[in-house]
Amino acid sequence: MPSNSAPRAYQVVLDAIENDLRSGKLELGSQLPGERALAEQYGISRASVRDAIRILDVMGVVRTSTGSGPNSGAVVISNPAAGISQALRLHVAAKGIEVAEIVESRILLETWAAQMQPRDPRYAQQVIARTAVLIMRMDDPELSREEFHRIDAEFHVLLASMSGNAVVATMMESLRNAISDYVSAAITDDETWQSVVKILRRQHKAIHHAYANGHRERAAQLLEEHITWFYGQTH
Amino acid sequence: MPSNSAPRAYQVVLDAIENDLRSGKLELGSQLPGERALAEQYGISRASVRDAIRILDVMGVVRTSTGSGPNSGAVVISNPAAGISQALRLHVAAKGIEVAEIVESRILLETWAAQMQPRDPRYAQQVIARTAVLIMRMDDPELSREEFHRIDAEFHVLLASMSGNAVVATMMESLRNAISDYVSAAITDDETWQSVVKILRRQHKAIHHAYANGHRERAAQLLEEHITWFYGQTH
DNA sequence: GATCTAGCATGGTCTGACCACACACCGAAA
DNA sequence: TTTCGGTGTGTGGTCAGACCATGCTAGATC
């Protein structure tokens, strides 16, 4: 009973890779050794190696692709929102998390980010400029609803990234991703959507205006109203 | 060129299970069909089915065990912190996330939770009582450092859960888990640790006192100082 | 009726094979 | 020499089939 058994085989590889990442032996853009090589190196089967790599894949730590060359195999990336979004999605489906809680959390993070003094004023200026472009693109009446949501998400994430805290921006993005299916499913009527999108555009512009003029408190307030209003439409 | 190919085989099972969770066909405590059965059902190999289940496993959505009977196989649970903690850990290792950002986020979430009016006063009372017990257990001088950290984590999570928002509590717990190795590694000297733990106990008691008397602003302030001070010790 | 035992289905692991893909190399044509 | 096209080779993705330790369960035993 002391030493519990069952040390999963894939865990060995996973730990080793995590250590290599920590020590810098592996860094962004690095290629992992091939699966067959890792299997031999750690004395386990290729199937178990694949387990470890699959986990790194869904967690957004590596990207895998077939073929040969520098872009093939498992390459280290860092897309934290991928794994966290997936986890939240699943737990919402499993009823372990309620949508209302996610919305509340999103408001918390986004208003906090809005009120933060930007760490890097130059970056903040870039964000203001880039979000202005996004707003223009969202004005396109030809835009598909899916595409609108994609740009909308980018808009919010960019603004949150101004705070300089990548974790907050990541969690925010993940929270949004986790429930994006729900909001899409809630508004099926195209006519309703057309009237909703008009208001969304107006709200985005007001938020952007507040950000651009440094009215952080105002921006936070507008954001809260924006998010609350939108999710109110899905009930 | 239009219909991009490469629909991962495991994705089929994953989506199906997610839908079953959403529709309620699968709920907490349900047993998934056996891997061999799922493989036949979806016309894919057992290896691919295992990929899907492995993902659900690391995400904290199911728990797997060998043998037969009602407790065997893949059983639906919901432990959101598992997957999120793992994701954050890996991305910290991959240098995609900095520890300082995690600490900042943790302070944000925890102080927010402290300032929230508890949704359920009776539950709040229970938390006050249970955290009091935890504080007493942390007074035990025989306690191993590992055990201390475990109880410490439970203390913080319980307090945050008073807010009634499970997402915030989960993210908080995950943030803490993701960097717990770092703080453990930072203080190696046992003598230093002994003096640190004395202060931690004092801080915990002050925080608990503020909570118990409904001084939420004060509790939030103490929490921020507590967390900031502790991570300051690791530099 | 209580206890033991053999059977059986489970996930965990391994082996070995085949496929589609993408780059790298090299020879042929300009 | 330069360019173009084919092919070789190694990659991850998938599959099939096998064996193991585990834990329940039903039947045999007492």
Side-chain angles (χ1 to χ4, degrees):
Chain A
M1 122 226 358
S3 73
N4 202 354
S5 57
R8 298 269 204 266
Y10 72 84
Q11 197 67 39
V12 178
V13 192
L14 201 53
D15 290 347
I17 293 178
E18 187 176 333
N19 281 332
D20 286 349
L21 286 168
R22 236 181 266 285
S23 74
K25 201 183 293 182
L26 288 174
E27 53 186 6
L28 250 65
S30 296
Q31 258 178 308
L32 265 61
E35 297 180 351
R36 293 161 179 88
L38 287 172
E40 191 175 4
Q41 182 176 344
Y42 294 103
I44 60 180
S45 73
R46 192 184 153 212
S48 295
V49 170
R50 283 183 61 74
D51 275 355
I53 294 186
R54 162 98 331 114
I55 292 172
L56 294 171
D57 185 16
V58 299
M59 289 299 186
V61 177
V62 304
R63 160 184 64 75
T64 63
S65 39
T66 62
S68 65
N71 263 354
S72 74
V75 177
V76 178
I77 59 176
S78 190
N79 180 15
I84 298 177
S85 299
Q86 180 83 356
L88 289 172
R89 260 180 71 91
L90 287 169
H91 285 286
V92 169
K95 315 280 194 304
I97 289 181
E98 290 175 26
V99 175
E101 294 176 336
I102 292 200
V103 173
E104 188 178 44
S105 308
R106 189 184 155 195
I107 292 173
L108 161 63
L109 296 175
E110 239 172 299
T111 56
W112 176 86
Q115 290 178 43
M116 281 290 284
Q117 169 88 15
R119 286 203 196 143
D120 180 351
R122 292 194 51 221
Y123 177 69
Q125 277 305 314
Q126 287 178 24
V127 170
I128 296 297
R130 288 169 64 188
T131 45
V133 175
L134 295 180
I135 284 181
M136 288 198 307
R137 286 174 59 196
M138 280 190 280
D139 269 343
D140 180 2
E142 301 287 325
L143 211 59
S144 76
R145 195 172 149 189
E146 211 172 45
E147 193 66 10
F148 182 91
H149 279 137
R150 222 186 48 72
I151 302 176
D152 185 5
E154 196 178 341
F155 174 79
H156 283 271
V157 171
L158 262 177
L159 288 181
S161 75
M162 269 178 51
S163 71
N165 189 317
V167 174
V168 169
T170 296
M171 291 196 296
M172 217 207 72
E173 181 181 359
S174 302
L175 291 170
R176 191 187 193 288
N177 289 342
I179 56 177
S180 67
D181 289 355
Y182 283 85
V183 309
S184 292
I187 304 179
T188 52
D189 179 18
D190 188 64
E191 203 166 338
T192 307
W193 170 246
Q194 287 304 329
S195 67
V196 165
V197 80
K198 272 206 188 82
I199 299 176
L200 291 181
R201 288 196 185 103
R202 201 156 58 220
Q203 290 174 334
H204 284 158
K205 280 163 190 165
I207 291 166
H208 185 265
H209 185 267
Y211 261 103
N213 291 63
H215 301 151
R216 290 195 285 277
E217 294 282 344
R218 175 87 179 128
Q221 185 195 336
L222 289 172
L223 270 170
E224 172 159 5
E225 288 170 11
H226 169 55
I227 299 171
T228 303
W229 177 84
F230 180 57
Y231 285 114
Q233 299 303 305
T234 65
H235 291 168
Chain B
M1 157 119 9
S3 74
N4 202 354
S5 58
R8 297 269 206 266
Y10 72 84
Q11 197 68 39
V12 178
V13 191
L14 202 52
D15 290 347
I17 293 179
E18 189 177 333
N19 281 332
D20 286 350
L21 286 168
R22 238 181 266 283
S23 74
K25 201 183 294 181
L26 287 175
E27 54 187 5
L28 251 64
S30 295
Q31 257 180 309
L32 265 63
E35 297 180 351
R36 293 163 179 86
L38 286 172
E40 191 175 3
Q41 180 177 345
Y42 294 102
I44 61 179
S45 73
R46 193 182 153 210
S48 295
V49 170
R50 284 184 60 74
D51 275 353
I53 294 187
R54 161 97 335 118
I55 292 171
L56 294 172
D57 185 16
V58 301
M59 289 298 186
V61 178
V62 303
R63 158 185 64 76
T64 64
S65 39
T66 62
S68 65
N71 261 353
S72 74
V75 178
V76 178
I77 59 176
S78 188
N79 179 16
I84 299 177
S85 300
Q86 179 84 2
L88 289 172
R89 258 181 72 92
L90 287 169
H91 285 286
V92 169
K95 314 280 194 302
I97 289 181
E98 288 176 27
V99 175
E101 294 176 336
I102 291 200
V103 174
E104 188 178 44
S105 308
R106 190 185 154 195
I107 291 173
L108 162 63
L109 295 176
E110 238 173 298
T111 56
W112 176 84
Q115 289 177 44
M116 282 289 283
Q117 170 88 15
R119 285 198 197 149
D120 180 351
R122 291 195 50 221
Y123 177 70
Q125 277 306 315
Q126 286 178 24
V127 170
I128 296 298
R130 288 169 64 188
T131 45
V133 175
L134 294 180
I135 284 180
M136 287 199 308
R137 286 174 57 194
M138 280 190 280
D139 270 343
D140 181 1
E142 302 287 325
L143 211 60
S144 77
R145 196 172 148 187
E146 213 171 44
E147 193 67 10
F148 183 90
H149 278 136
R150 223 185 46 73
I151 302 177
D152 185 3
E154 196 179 341
F155 175 79
H156 283 271
V157 171
L158 262 178
L159 288 182
S161 74
M162 271 179 51
S163 70
N165 189 316
V167 175
V168 170
T170 296
M171 290 195 298
M172 216 206 74
E173 181 181 358
S174 302
L175 291 170
R176 192 188 193 288
N177 289 342
I179 57 176
S180 67
D181 288 356
Y182 282 85
V183 309
S184 292
I187 304 179
T188 52
D189 179 16
D190 188 64
E191 202 165 340
T192 307
W193 170 246
Q194 287 304 331
S195 68
V196 165
V197 80
K198 271 206 189 81
I199 299 176
L200 291 181
R201 288 197 186 104
R202 202 156 56 219
Q203 291 174 333
H204 284 158
K205 282 165 189 165
I207 291 166
H208 185 265
H209 185 268
Y211 261 103
N213 292 66
H215 300 152
R216 291 195 284 275
E217 294 283 344
R218 174 86 179 132
Q221 186 195 336
L222 288 172
L223 269 170
E224 171 157 6
E225 288 170 12
H226 169 56
I227 299 171
T228 303
W229 177 84
F230 180 58
Y231 285 115
Q233 299 303 306
T234 66
H235 291 168

